[in-house]
Amino acid sequence: MHRLILRRARVEHAAAPCDVLITDGVVRTVGTVPDAEPGRSIDCAGRIVLPGFVEPHLHLDKALLDGVRPNPDGTLAGAIAVTGELKRAFTHADVRDRSRTVLETAIRNGTTLIRAHPDVDPVAGLLGVEVLLELREEYRQLVDLQIVAFPQEGVFRSPGTEKLLTAALAAGADVVGGCPYNEDSLADSHRHVELVLDLAAAHGLPADLHADFADDASDPRYALAEFIAEQTVRRGLSGRVTLGHATSLAGRPPADRARALTALAEAGVAVVPLPATDLHLGGRHDTTATRRGIAPVRELWDAGVLVSCSSNNIRNAFTPYGSADALDTALLLAQTGHLSGPADLSRVLRMITYDAARVTGADGDYGVRPGARADLVVLDSTTYDDIVLDRPDRAYVIKAGRVVARTTRTTELLHP
Ligand SMILES: [Zn+2]
């Protein structure tokens, strides 16, 4: 039996430290563990332990390409065009090495579950899915990897994609992806949504669509929230559909926006803002008061929509920044979403923990409580309210009860 004891650990926002006993990958006790209890013991010295971070939206296969070729004009269209060209030269080893680098960085940063969105289209074929299926096995003891079959180039605009999506699911992809804005007409965008949700329903899988990713909703291909909500309910997929980006929601008039948010809430459709990408690609044609390009987080909360956030891309034409650190994303979202103070920041922290676990369907045994799987992160901090602001070092990352990453750092002020 594998045993690990966290001593003097401050569990989330608890006032006083306690002990956490883990056996065989499961949290058994949160409270007092006798000194004589056998097993490896880590003295947390009052530091905070949280459940591991969850990245519900990360593109591993096309990460780390910013040095190869940048985005020519900073727009979404430019990013899709450049990356589409670079994809033609992808090799198995190249995709594997770049994916591995980001995967390992995310683990060191305290992430214990990643939902990855590899491109599936006639150019990339199933390369991204195949590489991630291999990495899922290789890293099984360090991180959980969900694989989304993601038709970045559209389905009807890119003939052959529908068959590849089915093949990706047969190969072991866990989630049906979508990109309905990348079609030539609103009718095709609607057919795209229907096809994705039909596949999800037929295979008993969740769906995760890139949707409504524009500064405003003037082009109806970027204003599909209500349509997706309606189609979700029609197929009985409530609670199993997620929309990434959804930036155009913020650009709709208040009454219209309220209707869209109500439809999403009632349909149980989650939204995942991707602030680094949304800010970078948004507002490119604005000449005054450049728009922020962020989904309206507080209004989504108030409407009862499940909201998480994630890194999306790491250093490529879509997002030439990023460190695969969920806390960086959380702070960026707080800074750009008018979110501040202990109540807001606690909720932002939930977006990369409990709410992200719900988005990925991994919330059943998530948390720091008896019976939860022991996917945990010990932060080098004793102040819960400062976590998002300080982004403290991840002193220990624990996956299934085993320490899989450790950070020690010493910085000294040398007074003359
Ligand atoms: Zn994405």
Side-chain angles (χ1 to χ4, degrees), residues 240-306:
R240 307 202 78 197
V241 175
T242 301
L243 307 185
H245 299 295
T247 52
S248 68
L249 283 175
R252 295 170 66 164
D256 180 42
R257 180 165 70 242
R259 276 192 297 275
L261 301 189
T262 300
L264 292 173
E266 289 180 355
V269 174
V271 171
V272 179
L274 305 161
T277 308
D278 297 343
L279 287 160
H280 182 67
L281 297 179
R284 285 287 173 164
H285 300 299
D286 291 342
T287 53
T288 55
T290 303
R291 281 169 281 192
R292 295 182 177 206
I294 297 282
V297 173
R298 191 184 301 285
E299 290 183 35
L300 286 160
W301 285 347
D302 292 347
V305 178
L306 174 62

Coordinates of all heavy atoms in Angstrom, one line a residue, residues 240-306:
R240 N -23.0 18.6 -20.7 CA -22.0 17.9 -21.4 C -21.4 18.7 -22.6 O -20.7 18.1 -23.4 CB -22.4 16.5 -21.9 CG -23.0 15.7 -20.8 CD -23.0 14.2 -21.1 NE -21.7 13.7 -20.9 CZ -21.2 12.5 -21.4 NH1 -22.0 11.8 -22.1 NH2 -20.0 12.1 -21.2
V241 N -21.8 20.0 -22.7 CA -21.4 20.8 -23.8 C -20.7 22.0 -23.3 O -21.2 22.7 -22.3 CB -22.6 21.2 -24.7 CG1 -22.2 22.1 -25.8 CG2 -23.2 19.9 -25.3
T242 N -19.6 22.3 -23.9 CA -18.7 23.5 -23.5 C -18.4 24.3 -24.7 O -18.2 23.8 -25.8 CB -17.4 23.0 -22.9 OG1 -17.7 22.1 -21.7 CG2 -16.5 24.1 -22.4
L243 N -18.4 25.7 -24.5 CA -18.0 26.6 -25.5 C -16.7 27.3 -25.1 O -16.7 27.9 -24.0 CB -19.1 27.7 -25.8 CG -20.5 27.2 -26.0 CD1 -21.4 28.3 -26.4 CD2 -20.5 26.1 -27.2
G244 N -15.7 27.2 -25.9 CA -14.5 28.0 -25.7 C -14.6 29.4 -26.4 O -15.2 29.5 -27.4
H245 N -14.0 30.4 -25.8 CA -13.9 31.8 -26.2 C -15.2 32.5 -25.9 O -15.3 33.2 -24.9 CB -13.6 31.9 -27.7 CG -12.3 31.3 -28.2 ND1 -11.1 31.8 -27.8 CD2 -12.0 30.3 -29.0 CE1 -10.1 31.1 -28.3 NE2 -10.7 30.2 -29.1
A246 N -16.2 32.4 -26.7 CA -17.5 33.1 -26.5 C -17.3 34.6 -26.3 O -18.1 35.2 -25.5 CB -18.3 32.4 -25.4
T247 N -16.4 35.2 -27.0 CA -16.1 36.6 -26.7 C -17.2 37.5 -27.3 O -17.4 38.6 -26.7 CB -14.8 37.0 -27.4 OG1 -14.8 36.5 -28.8 CG2 -13.6 36.3 -26.7
S248 N -17.9 37.1 -28.4 CA -18.9 38.0 -29.0 C -20.0 38.2 -28.0 O -20.8 39.2 -28.2 CB -19.3 37.5 -30.3 OG -20.1 36.3 -30.2
L249 N -20.2 37.3 -27.1 CA -21.3 37.6 -26.1 C -21.2 39.0 -25.5 O -22.2 39.6 -25.2 CB -21.2 36.5 -24.9 CG -21.7 35.1 -25.2 CD1 -21.4 34.2 -24.0 CD2 -23.2 35.1 -25.5
A250 N -19.9 39.4 -25.2 CA -19.7 40.6 -24.5 C -20.1 41.8 -25.4 O -20.4 42.9 -24.9 CB -18.3 40.8 -24.1
G251 N -20.1 41.6 -26.7 CA -20.4 42.7 -27.7 C -21.9 42.8 -28.0 O -22.3 43.7 -28.8
R252 N -22.7 42.0 -27.4 CA -24.2 42.0 -27.8 C -24.9 43.1 -26.8 O -24.5 43.2 -25.7 CB -24.8 40.6 -27.7 CG -24.2 39.7 -28.7 CD -24.6 38.3 -28.5 NE -26.0 38.0 -28.7 CZ -26.5 36.8 -28.9 NH1 -25.7 35.7 -28.9 NH2 -27.8 36.6 -29.0
P253 N -25.9 43.7 -27.3 CA -26.6 44.7 -26.5 C -27.1 44.0 -25.2 O -27.5 42.8 -25.3 CB -27.8 45.1 -27.4 CG -27.4 44.8 -28.8 CD -26.5 43.6 -28.7
P254 N -27.2 44.7 -24.1 CA -27.5 44.0 -22.8 C -28.7 43.1 -22.8 O -28.6 42.0 -22.3 CB -27.7 45.2 -21.9 CG -26.9 46.3 -22.5 CD -27.0 46.1 -23.9
A255 N -29.9 43.5 -23.4 CA -31.1 42.6 -23.3 C -30.9 41.4 -24.1 O -31.2 40.3 -23.7 CB -32.3 43.4 -23.8
D256 N -30.2 41.5 -25.3 CA -29.9 40.4 -26.2 C -28.9 39.4 -25.5 O -29.1 38.2 -25.5 CB -29.3 41.0 -27.5 CG -29.0 39.9 -28.5 OD1 -29.8 39.0 -28.7 OD2 -27.9 40.1 -29.1
R257 N -27.9 40.0 -24.9 CA -26.9 39.2 -24.1 C -27.6 38.4 -23.0 O -27.3 37.3 -22.8 CB -25.8 40.2 -23.6 CG -24.7 39.4 -22.9 CD -23.5 40.3 -22.7 NE -23.7 41.4 -21.7 CZ -23.6 42.7 -22.1 NH1 -23.4 43.1 -23.3 NH2 -23.8 43.6 -21.1
A258 N -28.5 39.1 -22.3 CA -29.1 38.4 -21.2 C -29.9 37.2 -21.6 O -29.9 36.2 -21.0 CB -30.0 39.4 -20.4
R259 N -30.5 37.3 -22.8 CA -31.3 36.2 -23.4 C -30.3 35.0 -23.7 O -30.6 33.9 -23.4 CB -32.0 36.6 -24.6 CG -33.4 37.2 -24.4 CD -34.2 37.3 -25.7 NE -33.6 38.2 -26.7 CZ -33.8 39.5 -26.7 NH1 -34.5 40.1 -25.8 NH2 -33.2 40.3 -27.6
A260 N -29.2 35.4 -24.3 CA -28.2 34.4 -24.6 C -27.7 33.7 -23.4 O -27.5 32.4 -23.3 CB -27.0 35.0 -25.4
L261 N -27.4 34.5 -22.3 CA -26.8 33.9 -21.1 C -27.8 33.0 -20.4 O -27.5 31.9 -19.9 CB -26.3 35.0 -20.1 CG -25.3 35.9 -20.7 CD1 -24.7 36.8 -19.5 CD2 -24.1 35.2 -21.3
T262 N -29.1 33.4 -20.4 CA -30.2 32.6 -19.9 C -30.3 31.3 -20.6 O -30.4 30.2 -20.0 CB -31.5 33.3 -19.9 OG1 -31.4 34.5 -19.1 CG2 -32.6 32.5 -19.3
A263 N -30.2 31.3 -22.0 CA -30.3 30.1 -22.8 C -29.2 29.2 -22.4 O -29.4 27.9 -22.3 CB -30.3 30.5 -24.3
L264 N -27.9 29.7 -22.3 CA -26.8 28.8 -22.0 C -27.0 28.2 -20.6 O -26.7 27.0 -20.4 CB -25.5 29.6 -22.0 CG -25.0 30.1 -23.4 CD1 -23.8 31.1 -23.2 CD2 -24.7 29.0 -24.3
A265 N -27.4 29.0 -19.6 CA -27.6 28.5 -18.3 C -28.7 27.4 -18.2 O -28.5 26.3 -17.6 CB -28.0 29.6 -17.3
E266 N -29.8 27.6 -18.9 CA -30.9 26.7 -18.9 C -30.5 25.4 -19.6 O -31.0 24.3 -19.3 CB -32.2 27.3 -19.5 CG -32.7 28.4 -18.5 CD -34.0 29.0 -19.1 OE1 -34.4 28.8 -20.2 OE2 -34.6 29.9 -18.3
A267 N -29.7 25.5 -20.6 CA -29.3 24.3 -21.4 C -28.1 23.6 -20.7 O -27.7 22.5 -21.2 CB -28.9 24.7 -22.8
G268 N -27.5 24.2 -19.7 CA -26.4 23.5 -19.0 C -25.1 23.5 -19.9 O -24.4 22.6 -19.9
V269 N -25.0 24.6 -20.7 CA -23.8 24.7 -21.6 C -22.8 25.6 -20.8 O -23.1 26.7 -20.4 CB -24.2 25.4 -22.9 CG1 -22.9 25.6 -23.7 CG2 -25.1 24.5 -23.7
A270 N -21.5 25.1 -20.7 CA -20.5 25.8 -20.0 C -19.7 26.7 -20.9 O -19.7 26.5 -22.1 CB -19.5 24.8 -19.3
V271 N -19.1 27.7 -20.4 CA -18.2 28.6 -21.2 C -16.8 28.7 -20.6 O -16.7 28.7 -19.4 CB -18.9 30.0 -21.2 CG1 -18.0 31.0 -21.8 CG2 -20.2 30.0 -21.9
V272 N -15.8 28.6 -21.5 CA -14.4 28.7 -21.0 C -13.7 29.9 -21.7 O -13.3 29.8 -22.9 CB -13.7 27.4 -21.3 CG1 -12.2 27.5 -20.9 CG2 -14.4 26.2 -20.6
P273 N -13.7 31.0 -21.1 CA -12.9 32.1 -21.6 C -11.4 31.7 -21.7 O -10.9 31.0 -20.9 CB -13.1 33.3 -20.6 CG -14.2 32.9 -19.8 CD -14.3 31.4 -19.8
L274 N -10.7 32.2 -22.8 CA -9.3 31.9 -23.0 C -8.6 33.2 -23.1 O -8.2 33.7 -24.2 CB -9.2 31.0 -24.2 CG -10.1 29.8 -24.2 CD1 -10.3 29.2 -25.5 CD2 -9.5 28.8 -23.2
P275 N -8.4 33.9 -22.0 CA -8.1 35.4 -22.0 C -6.8 35.7 -22.8 O -6.8 36.8 -23.5 CB -8.0 35.8 -20.5 CG -7.8 34.5 -19.8 CD -8.5 33.5 -20.6
A276 N -5.8 34.9 -22.7 CA -4.6 35.3 -23.4 C -4.8 35.4 -24.9 O -4.4 36.4 -25.6 CB -3.4 34.3 -23.1
T277 N -5.5 34.4 -25.5 CA -5.8 34.4 -26.9 C -6.8 35.5 -27.2 O -6.7 36.2 -28.2 CB -6.3 33.0 -27.3 OG1 -5.4 32.0 -26.9 CG2 -6.4 32.9 -28.8
D278 N -7.9 35.5 -26.4 CA -9.0 36.4 -26.7 C -8.5 37.9 -26.7 O -8.9 38.6 -27.6 CB -10.1 36.2 -25.6 CG -10.7 34.8 -25.7 OD1 -10.5 34.1 -26.7 OD2 -11.3 34.5 -24.7
L279 N -7.6 38.2 -25.8 CA -7.1 39.6 -25.8 C -6.1 39.9 -26.9 O -6.1 40.9 -27.5 CB -6.4 39.8 -24.5 CG -7.2 40.0 -23.2 CD1 -6.5 39.7 -22.0 CD2 -7.9 41.4 -23.2
H280 N -5.4 38.8 -27.3 CA -4.3 39.0 -28.3 C -5.0 39.2 -29.7 O -4.5 40.0 -30.5 CB -3.3 37.9 -28.3 CG -2.2 38.1 -29.3 ND1 -1.3 39.0 -29.2 CD2 -2.0 37.4 -30.5 CE1 -0.5 39.0 -30.2 NE2 -0.9 38.0 -31.0
L281 N -6.0 38.4 -30.0 CA -6.5 38.4 -31.3 C -7.7 39.3 -31.5 O -8.1 39.7 -32.6 CB -7.0 37.0 -31.7 CG -5.9 35.9 -31.8 CD1 -6.5 34.5 -32.2 CD2 -4.8 36.3 -32.8
G282 N -8.3 39.7 -30.3 CA -9.5 40.6 -30.4 C -9.1 42.1 -30.6 O -8.0 42.5 -30.4
G283 N -10.1 42.8 -31.1 CA -10.0 44.2 -31.3 C -9.0 44.7 -32.3 O -8.5 45.9 -32.2
R284 N -8.6 43.9 -33.2 CA -7.5 44.2 -34.1 C -7.9 45.3 -35.1 O -7.0 45.9 -35.7 CB -7.1 42.9 -34.9 CG -6.3 42.0 -34.0 CD -4.9 42.6 -33.7 NE -4.1 41.8 -32.7 CZ -2.8 41.9 -32.6 NH1 -2.1 42.8 -33.3 NH2 -2.2 41.2 -31.7
H285 N -9.2 45.5 -35.3 CA -9.6 46.5 -36.3 C -10.1 47.8 -35.6 O -10.6 48.7 -36.2 CB -10.6 46.0 -37.3 CG -10.1 44.8 -38.0 ND1 -9.0 44.9 -38.9 CD2 -10.4 43.5 -38.0 CE1 -8.7 43.7 -39.4 NE2 -9.6 42.8 -38.9
D286 N -10.1 47.8 -34.3 CA -10.5 49.0 -33.5 C -9.5 50.1 -33.6 O -8.3 49.8 -33.5 CB -10.8 48.6 -32.1 CG -12.0 47.7 -31.9 OD1 -12.8 47.6 -32.8 OD2 -12.1 47.0 -30.8
T287 N -9.9 51.3 -33.9 CA -9.0 52.4 -33.9 C -9.1 53.3 -32.7 O -8.2 54.1 -32.5 CB -9.3 53.3 -35.2 OG1 -10.6 53.6 -35.2 CG2 -9.0 52.5 -36.4
T288 N -10.1 53.1 -31.9 CA -10.2 53.8 -30.6 C -10.8 52.8 -29.6 O -11.5 51.9 -30.0 CB -11.1 55.1 -30.6 OG1 -12.4 54.6 -31.1 CG2 -10.6 56.1 -31.6
A289 N -10.4 53.0 -28.3 CA -11.0 52.2 -27.3 C -11.0 50.7 -27.7 O -12.1 50.0 -27.7 CB -12.4 52.6 -26.9
T290 N -9.8 50.1 -28.0 CA -9.7 48.8 -28.4 C -10.4 47.8 -27.5 O -10.2 47.8 -26.3 CB -8.2 48.4 -28.5 OG1 -7.6 49.3 -29.4 CG2 -8.1 47.0 -29.0
R291 N -11.3 47.0 -28.0 CA -12.1 46.1 -27.2 C -11.2 45.0 -26.5 O -10.2 44.6 -27.0 CB -13.2 45.4 -28.0 CG -14.4 46.3 -28.3 CD -15.3 45.8 -29.3 NE -14.8 46.0 -30.6 CZ -15.5 45.9 -31.8 NH1 -16.8 45.5 -31.7 NH2 -15.0 46.1 -32.9
R292 N -11.7 44.6 -25.3 CA -10.9 43.6 -24.6 C -11.1 42.2 -25.0 O -10.2 41.3 -24.8 CB -11.3 43.6 -23.1 CG -11.0 45.0 -22.4 CD -11.4 44.9 -21.0 NE -11.0 46.2 -20.3 CZ -10.8 46.2 -19.0 NH1 -10.9 45.2 -18.2 NH2 -10.4 47.4 -18.5
G293 N -12.2 41.9 -25.7 CA -12.4 40.5 -26.2 C -12.4 39.4 -25.2 O -11.8 38.4 -25.3
I294 N -13.2 39.7 -24.1 CA -13.3 38.7 -23.0 C -14.8 38.4 -22.8 O -15.6 39.3 -22.8 CB -12.7 39.2 -21.7 CG1 -11.2 39.4 -21.9 CG2 -13.0 38.2 -20.6 CD1 -10.4 38.2 -21.8
A295 N -15.1 37.1 -22.7 CA -16.5 36.8 -22.4 C -16.9 37.5 -21.0 O -16.1 37.7 -20.2 CB -16.7 35.3 -22.2
P296 N -18.2 37.9 -20.9 CA -18.6 38.7 -19.7 C -18.7 37.8 -18.5 O -19.8 37.3 -18.2 CB -20.0 39.2 -20.1 CG -20.5 38.2 -21.1 CD -19.3 37.6 -21.8
V297 N -17.6 37.6 -17.8 CA -17.5 36.5 -16.7 C -18.5 36.8 -15.6 O -19.3 35.9 -15.2 CB -16.1 36.5 -16.2 CG1 -16.1 35.5 -15.0 CG2 -15.1 36.0 -17.3
R298 N -18.6 38.0 -15.1 CA -19.5 38.2 -14.0 C -21.0 38.0 -14.4 O -21.7 37.4 -13.6 CB -19.3 39.6 -13.4 CG -20.0 39.8 -12.1 CD -19.9 41.2 -11.5 NE -18.6 41.7 -11.3 CZ -17.8 41.3 -10.3 NH1 -18.3 40.5 -9.4 NH2 -16.6 41.7 -10.2
E299 N -21.3 38.4 -15.6 CA -22.7 38.2 -16.0 C -23.0 36.7 -16.2 O -24.1 36.3 -16.0 CB -23.0 39.0 -17.3 CG -23.0 40.5 -17.1 CD -23.4 41.3 -18.4 OE1 -24.2 40.8 -19.2 OE2 -22.8 42.4 -18.5
L300 N -22.0 36.0 -16.7 CA -22.1 34.5 -16.8 C -22.4 33.9 -15.5 O -23.2 33.1 -15.3 CB -20.9 33.9 -17.5 CG -20.8 34.2 -19.0 CD1 -19.4 34.0 -19.5 CD2 -21.7 33.3 -19.8
W301 N -21.6 34.3 -14.5 CA -21.7 33.9 -13.1 C -23.2 34.2 -12.7 O -23.9 33.3 -12.1 CB -20.8 34.6 -12.2 CG -19.4 34.1 -12.2 CD1 -18.8 33.0 -12.8 CD2 -18.3 34.8 -11.6 NE1 -17.5 33.0 -12.6 CE2 -17.1 34.1 -11.9 CE3 -18.1 36.0 -10.8 CZ2 -15.8 34.5 -11.4 CZ3 -16.9 36.4 -10.4 CH2 -15.7 35.6 -10.7
D302 N -23.6 35.4 -12.8 CA -24.9 35.9 -12.3 C -26.0 35.1 -13.0 O -27.1 34.9 -12.4 CB -25.0 37.4 -12.5 CG -24.1 38.2 -11.6 OD1 -23.5 37.6 -10.7 OD2 -23.9 39.4 -11.8
A303 N -25.8 34.7 -14.3 CA -26.9 34.0 -15.0 C -26.9 32.5 -14.6 O -27.8 31.8 -15.0 CB -26.6 34.2 -16.5
G304 N -25.9 32.1 -13.9 CA -25.8 30.7 -13.5 C -25.2 29.8 -14.5 O -25.4 28.5 -14.5
V305 N -24.3 30.4 -15.4 CA -23.6 29.6 -16.3 C -22.3 29.0 -15.7 O -21.6 29.8 -15.0 CB -23.2 30.4 -17.6 CG1 -22.4 29.6 -18.6 CG2 -24.5 30.9 -18.3
L306 N -22.0 27.8 -15.9 CA -20.7 27.2 -15.4 C -19.6 27.8 -16.2 O -19.6 27.8 -17.5 CB -20.7 25.7 -15.6 CG -19.4 25.0 -15.2 CD1 -19.0 25.2 -13.8 CD2 -19.6 23.5 -15.5

